[in-house]
Amino acid sequence: MKISFVGKGGSGKTTLAGLFARHLAALPAPLLAIDADINQHLAVALGASDEEAVMLPALGDHLADIKEHLRGDNPRISSAATMVKTTPPGGGSRLLTVAGPNPVYDALVREVGGVRLAVTGPFATADLGVACYHSKVGAVELMLNHLVDGPGEYVVVDMTAGADSFASGLFTRFDATFLVCEPTVRSVGVYRQYVGHARDFGVRVHVVGNKVDDESDVAFLREHVGDDLLTWIGRSAYVKAAERGEVRPVDALEPANRRALEVLRETADTAPKDWATYTRQAVEFHLRNANAWANDKVGEDLARQVDPAFVLGPDPLVRAAR
């Protein structure tokens, strides 16, 4: 399953993404974590030092290599340079799996705290005034458009905060979306904004309460998010220690909070898998981007990149392996 963590900045989104990834890794389960947040804190949440985190290779710095690999011998794509963040796979494209191996993972995925992690890379000084962070996140969208995940496999993505997720079609690339929500008016406001956009595309949002002290906090969340409240994480000495740089084994997490992580896993496992819709939405956003800016930038009609007979899923993955 492809899983995203979203929410207001400061809500604990990255902390919970890291906890959930470590929970899955301890099962153990095939897992790939991706940091797609502009603040790039997931590596530290998994146990890396600040110095180790900044040394991780960045997807955004190797976009040309990623495109060249994914293009394969797809005859509809004239060159890797004509691929944009939304380019969908077709016959001849190289597909990714969670476990790999492939040259992209070899170059750009590193193990951090027992979790295989890829990072988009930070917004650098050289980018100021001349680039958009979503150009880096485009590497994640392109990879997820070409990724086939099987039963019991997980991709966990820490998304950029708030409604910034809607600057691309990336928000539709997930089987389960967990919105981390504090029991505050501001955090609930981000929830309303997010679901207002997401539901137009059939994206189900599950709310995970965070920093919950007592039943009044739970009641507040239920009042404002209703049945979307899936579970909640209570105030945690374990999390407080982690935020101070002391990352303990995940089995030391408070039992109630560990059970909440298991609820997230069970919810993801039972989410419907609809490869046809996944492919259709990839094509829809590709055509939107092509008409809005990409055709002019590339100098080609990128609608020609769409293979109308192709549906991403296990079947083309098997064919590609033969």
Side-chain angles (χ1 to χ4, degrees):
M1 309 303 289
K2 301 180 182 75
I3 299 158
S4 69
F5 281 80
V6 301
K8 181 181 75 66
S11 65
K13 169 181 64 65
T14 298
T15 298
L16 290 194
L19 275 177
F20 185 59
R22 294 178 64 217
H23 176 73
L24 294 175
L27 293 178
L31 169 67
L32 175 65
I34 303 176
D35 192 346
D37 188 1
I38 190 171
N39 292 312
Q40 295 287 281
H41 292 322
L42 185 55
V44 173
L46 292 173
S49 67
D50 289 334
E51 293 76 16
E52 291 168 334
V54 298
M55 295 302 294
L56 294 173
L59 299 176
D61 294 339
H62 297 269
L63 188 54
D65 296 329
I66 294 171
K67 291 177 178 180
E68 190 61 54
H69 176 76
L70 296 179
R71 176 192 172 210
D73 58 5
N74 185 337
R76 295 175 179 272
I77 301 175
S78 61
S79 69
T82 66
M83 294 180 72
V84 294
K85 63 182 182 179
T86 55
T87 296
S93 295
R94 289 194 181 100
L95 304 180
L96 304 175
T97 60
V98 173
N102 60 66
V104 173
Y105 292 177
D106 291 345
L108 301 173
V109 174
R110 298 291 183 268
E111 186 170 305
V112 178
V115 174
R116 295 166 59 245
L117 173 68
V119 303
T120 57
F123 197 69
T125 302
D127 299 321
L128 295 176
V130 297
C132 169
Y133 185 68
H134 300 289
S135 63
K136 297 178 182 290
V137 178
V140 180
E141 186 169 0
L142 196 57
M143 288 171 63
L144 293 184
N145 276 350
H146 289 75
L147 194 149
V148 178
D149 46 309
E153 297 181 330
Y154 302 91
V155 180
V156 175
V157 181
D158 182 22
M159 292 281 282
T160 192
D164 280 354
S165 299
F166 296 98
S168 73
L170 186 55
F171 73 97
T172 67
R173 302 295 82 198
F174 303 102
D175 304 296
T177 296
F178 297 130
L179 190 148
V180 180
C181 189
E182 301 167 273
T184 66
V185 171
R186 287 185 62 194
S187 199
V188 166
V190 170
Y191 155 78
R192 292 196 182 105
Q193 185 181 32
Y194 199 97
V195 297
H197 294 306
R199 285 177 177 160
D200 290 340
F201 292 87
V203 175
R204 173 69 194 277
V205 175
H206 304 279
V207 173
V208 182
N210 194 30
K211 306 177 186 178
V212 171
D213 285 318
D214 51 35
E215 283 300 319
S216 69
D217 287 341
V218 177
F220 178 89
L221 289 170
R222 287 198 189 282
E223 176 186 355
H224 290 280
V225 310
D227 291 341
D228 284 342
L229 181 62
L230 176 65
T231 187
W232 55 89
I233 301 290
R235 291 283 184 179
S236 169
Y238 176 100
V239 171
K240 186 175 183 179
E243 290 175 343
R244 292 176 173 177
E246 182 186 346
V247 179
R248 302 168 180 171
V250 72
D251 58 9
L253 183 66
E254 297 86 357
N257 290 334
R258 191 75 187 270
R259 285 195 297 273
L261 296 180
E262 187 61 11
V263 169
L264 301 189
R265 185 190 66 80
E266 292 169 354
T267 300
D269 284 350
T270 57
K273 197 77 172 176
D274 187 344
W275 288 111
T277 297
Y278 192 85
T279 303
R280 176 180 56 77
Q281 289 180 330
V283 170
E284 176 183 341
F285 276 97
H286 180 61
L287 296 177
R288 284 189 180 197
N289 280 266
N291 291 328
W293 61 271
N295 286 346
D296 290 339
K297 179 177 180 180
V298 173
E300 291 186 13
D301 179 5
L302 297 186
R304 296 172 184 166
Q305 294 180 338
V306 175
D307 183 345
F310 184 90
V311 176
L312 187 68
D315 289 344
L317 181 63
V318 171
R319 289 196 296 270
R322 288 174 180 166

